[in-house]
Amino acid sequence: MRILLTGANGYVGKRLLPELLNLGHEVVCCVRNANRLGLDDVTLSKISIWETDFLDEPDLKSLPAKFDAAYYLIHSMSSSNADFDNLEARSARNFNTYAEAIGITQVVFLSGIINDAVLSKHLQSRSDVEDILYQGHFKLTVLRAGIIVGSGSSSFEIIRDLCEKLPVMIAPKWILTNTQPIAIRDVMQYLIGVLLREDCYNDSFDIAGPNILTYKEMLLLYAKTRKIKLWIITVPVMTPKLSSYWLYFVTSTSYKLASNLVESMKMEVVARDKRLQHILGIHPISYVEAIKLAFLKIEQNLVISSWKDSLSSSRSSGDLQGYIQVPVFGCLKDKKSLAITDLEKTMNNIFSIGGDTGWYYGDWMWRIRGHMDKAFGGVGLRRGRTHPTQIHSGDSLDFWRVLLASRQEKRLLLFAEMKLPGEAWLEFYIDEKNVLHQIATFRPRGIWGRLYWYSLVPFHFFIFGGMIKKIAV
């Protein structure tokens, strides 16, 4: 079966891709930038890539051939607080134009459960996209999911952050709202199960797990599963803005995503339709079991994807290709070089940097910089990394984005997604003489950018000097 996978570098898309390949399907991954796919060479050799941006005016030249099915997994909620709904509507309309030109038999759209007549902006946007896709020249199958729980999912990571960091929690009243979470592996079963099933054409189905829980119960069950003591105090008055800041500063989410999540959390999300569960013969696993499976993946370093790999809101266009060539003119640099004795160990140090490993020297200073970034609306250090030793182009790495990660070239290039008065790169490479080069490049924006760089020169002396010494062995 020939399948078009949009949103292939998103949380669900990166989980779905290996499942489709294992079933023998031919997959074309549709992304805005191929460098952000973050896939290993073996997987890349099995797929085709179509680079396009559904926000742009459709270009109907040189399109890929006809498809049996397509997955519509495009989501813009975290990109803009003000107009993500307009972006999502535009993407859906442009997708319909492409689909008509290409020829697609079935489109599967992963949406959210809709219960209330008055919806949050997020859920209303999902509903509007569903209406637009129903106007397309294909058979549409809509899967309306509850909160998705799995290693790396935004919901799971937010719950994890809250419970692991706050033994006593003062929570807003929306924490008593009912919801019905679903395990990511069950979502995969549904997504694959509906492929080219005529009894699923032009229909919408709710998909959810077996447990209806309040957000408070979800937090307490997580704590019980992890054997953590947790006390939750619910207060009647906490504004949406204050709730958003509460999530933002305690968890690894961005403020824009936190704000949209808070609005959605006020709405009850409970499945009212179990038809698809019976049609496909799926027996969803419990919320507690989903938590245990998520930690099993984490402990085995088998986390395939993370919501944190989405673009920083400061780079909403998604076009990082222009940053892969480190500029020379108009830049300030800190260059350091050191001969190495153990190539393999040094390489492992380079490709393990960040996350739980840290930055090898002055981690407390990196943490302070992360807190400062978070305070000014940036991503902070909490994104970490998906795998402790493996890293790919397009991955997020604390407050950096991986532009290039090549063991063959012995080179790692990072681009800063922290809040800065300019643009910053951090590069590591080993030359043919086994000399490690570490280069920090900053392209300042105006006088404030230059003042920022020069104010940090004393810190750079210690941080970058200590870092290269720890990496080079």
Side-chain angles (χ1 to χ4, degrees):
M1 196 181 299
R2 184 170 167 81
I3 297 174
L4 176 66
L5 180 61
T6 69
N9 55 352
Y11 175 71
V12 175
K14 288 180 78 170
R15 296 294 179 112
L16 185 58
L17 177 57
E19 301 283 348
L20 295 173
L21 292 176
N22 289 338
L23 291 171
H25 297 303
E26 178 187 353
V27 181
V28 176
C29 291
C30 182
V31 291
R32 288 182 292 183
N33 189 329
N35 291 318
R36 289 199 57 249
L37 259 175
L39 300 174
D40 59 82
D41 293 338
V42 174
T43 303
L44 285 172
S45 67
K46 297 178 181 179
I47 64 172
S48 300
I49 299 174
W50 176 29
E51 279 189 311
T52 192
D53 189 342
F54 289 112
L55 291 176
D56 295 337
E57 194 67 25
D59 180 3
L60 302 181
K61 299 176 182 177
S62 304
L63 295 178
K66 185 176 180 180
F67 294 92
D68 297 297
Y71 286 98
Y72 191 84
L73 303 176
I74 297 170
H75 208 318
S76 303
M77 185 175 73
S78 62
S79 64
S80 170
N81 232 0
D83 63 351
F84 72 85
D85 52 342
N86 293 324
L87 298 179
E88 292 200 334
R90 189 198 311 170
S91 293
R93 286 191 292 267
N94 289 339
F95 175 82
N96 283 353
T97 301
Y98 277 117
E100 184 176 5
I102 293 171
I104 300 175
T105 302
Q106 180 195 23
V107 172
V108 180
F109 171 45
L110 182 61
S111 184
I113 292 176
I114 300 169
N115 289 153
D116 296 311
V118 179
L119 301 174
S120 67
K121 191 173 182 178
H122 166 225
L123 291 175
Q124 184 62 58
S125 176
R126 298 278 82 189
S127 179
D128 292 343
V129 168
E130 183 177 328
D131 292 339
I132 293 170
L133 292 177
Y134 266 118
Q135 300 168 18
H137 293 269
F138 44 74
K139 308 298 183 183
L140 180 65
T141 302
V142 180
L143 305 182
R144 295 172 172 170
I147 287 177
I148 297 176
V149 179
S151 56
S153 75
S154 59
S155 303
F156 174 79
E157 294 298 338
I158 287 171
I159 290 170
R160 182 184 179 188
D161 278 346
L162 290 172
C163 294
E164 303 279 353
K165 296 174 181 177
L166 297 176
V168 179
M169 198 179 302
I170 299 175
K173 62 183 180 181
W174 53 252
I175 204 170
L176 301 177
T177 305
N178 282 328
T179 188
Q180 195 167 356
I182 181 171
I184 182 62
R185 63 174 53 199
D186 288 334
V187 174
M188 293 297 107
Q189 286 193 74
Y190 283 115
L191 287 169
I192 292 169
V194 298
L195 273 177
L196 294 188
R197 284 194 64 120
E198 294 186 8
D199 53 353
C200 296
Y201 286 174
N202 295 327
D203 207 346
S204 301
F205 305 92
D206 287 353
I207 60 172
N211 308 121
I212 298 175
L213 304 165
T214 65
Y215 291 105
K216 181 177 181 179
E217 289 171 330
M218 289 178 67
L219 291 167
L220 291 172
L221 280 172
Y222 175 95
K224 182 179 179 181
T225 304
R226 292 282 290 155
K227 297 180 173 59
I228 296 171
K229 294 291 185 181
L230 177 64
W231 291 267
I232 300 176
I233 303 169
T234 306
V235 294
V237 179
M238 187 179 282
T239 66
K241 192 168 187 177
L242 189 57
S243 295
S244 300
Y245 279 119
W246 178 68
L247 275 183
Y248 172 63
F249 283 111
V250 176
T251 73
S252 54
T253 186
S254 67
Y255 176 75
K256 292 177 180 179
L257 182 56
S259 179
N260 290 316
L261 286 173
V262 166
E263 287 299 318
S264 296
M265 285 172 173
K266 297 176 184 177
M267 310 295 169
E268 186 172 277
V269 178
V270 176
R272 297 176 179 174
D273 169 19
K274 295 185 179 180
R275 289 178 298 141
L276 192 58
Q277 179 179 329
H278 299 304
I279 291 172
L280 301 180
I282 292 174
H283 302 284
I285 64 175
S286 70
Y287 170 68
V288 170
E289 188 63 25
I291 292 173
K292 292 178 179 178
L293 288 172
F295 270 99
L296 184 62
K297 292 290 185 183
I298 292 169
E299 290 163 3
Q300 295 175 344
N301 292 324
L302 295 175
V303 181
I304 298 172
S305 66
S306 171
W307 71 278
K308 298 172 188 176
D309 288 336
S310 63
L311 273 180
S312 165
S313 59
S314 63
R315 306 289 173 196
S316 59
S317 68
D319 183 14
L320 290 173
Q321 185 63 34
Y323 298 96
I324 202 165
Q325 294 296 329
V326 182
V328 176
F329 300 105
C331 293
L332 304 167
K333 293 179 181 283
D334 183 292
K335 296 183 179 180
K336 290 184 169 49
S337 300
L338 203 60
I340 63 173
T341 56
D342 190 330
L343 175 61
E344 187 63 26
K345 190 171 181 181
T346 300
M347 286 281 289
N348 289 338
N349 287 343
I350 292 172
F351 285 87
S352 300
I353 199 167
D356 291 337
T357 301
W359 292 83
Y360 296 111
Y361 186 86
D363 273 352
W364 64 272
M365 287 186 276
W366 287 97
R367 285 193 294 271
I368 290 174
R369 183 62 182 87
H371 291 312
M372 290 172 60
D373 190 56
K374 196 80 171 175
F376 284 95
V379 295
L381 281 175
R382 294 175 184 156
R383 292 191 306 184
R385 50 184 293 160
T386 303
H387 193 281
T389 58
Q390 297 177 17
I391 195 167
H392 305 287
S393 300
D395 286 355
S396 64
L397 176 60
D398 290 336
F399 44 44
W400 302 88
R401 176 71 54 182
V402 181
L403 295 182
L404 178 68
S406 173
R407 282 184 172 267
Q408 184 176 358
E409 298 178 28
K410 295 180 284 190
R411 185 182 178 213
L412 176 66
L413 177 62
L414 309 177
F415 179 73
E417 291 189 327
M418 65 192 84
K419 294 287 186 180
L420 290 171
E423 297 152 339
W425 291 258
L426 182 59
E427 181 177 12
F428 304 90
Y429 73 90
I430 300 172
D431 65 21
E432 64 279 358
K433 295 181 181 180
N434 273 6
V435 174
L436 169 64
H437 299 270
Q438 174 186 286
I439 306 171
T441 301
F442 184 67
R443 182 163 60 187
R445 188 182 304 114
I447 186 64
W448 292 111
R450 292 182 178 277
L451 289 173
Y452 169 83
W453 173 267
Y454 288 119
S455 69
L456 292 177
V457 166
F459 298 98
H460 289 168
F461 176 79
F462 293 104
I463 292 174
F464 292 138
M467 185 163 62
I468 193 171
K469 291 176 183 176
K470 293 285 187 179
I471 293 174
V473 290

